[in-house]
Amino acid sequence: MDLLQNINPAHLPYVAVGCTLLCLVVFVIGFILQAVSGILEIIFGAFELLINLLQGGPVAWCGCIVALFGIAAFAGAVFLYLNAPESCAAHPTRFCQWFGFLP
């Protein structure tokens, strides 16, 4: 308890502010580290998935390639369907008549 007797009472507000700032810094660093670790986990998880896909051999990931092409074809069809009304208004074609975009 001899240490507490040597503290100048005028410095006690500085000690309180210093402790508060130290706690704030620790909380901010904790949140930043959690965010960075989450982002890195997502990135390294994607790399791990890609590496596992490539190391499987031609038989194991042939279905994945077909699935990726299927997803790309579906995305292309959705893109065409969403842009068809504007395109058919400017340039009417048989495609527009087949799918009912023209009266």
Side-chain angles (χ1 to χ4, degrees):
M1 289 295 167
D2 293 330
L3 180 67
L4 294 177
Q5 293 173 358
N6 294 334
I7 294 177
N8 187 357
H11 291 124
L12 287 178
Y14 296 123
V15 172
V17 169
C19 289
T20 305
L21 288 176
L22 184 63
C23 287
L24 280 173
V25 167
V26 167
F27 284 134
V28 168
I29 288 175
F31 285 123
I32 289 173
L33 286 177
Q34 280 184 338
V36 168
S37 68
I39 291 169
L40 289 177
E41 184 177 345
I42 291 170
I43 291 171
F44 287 131
F47 281 135
E48 183 180 358
L49 180 66
L50 180 66
I51 288 171
N52 287 338
L53 183 69
L54 292 176
Q55 288 178 347
V59 176
W61 53 271
C62 184
C64 291
I65 297 263
V66 171
L68 289 175
F69 281 125
I71 290 170
F74 181 73
V78 168
F79 178 75
L80 284 175
Y81 182 75
L82 291 176
N83 288 330
E86 294 102 23
S87 297
C88 288
H91 307 286
T93 61
R94 291 271 184 214
F95 175 82
C96 300
Q97 289 179 345
W98 291 339
F99 290 102
F101 293 116
L102 290 177

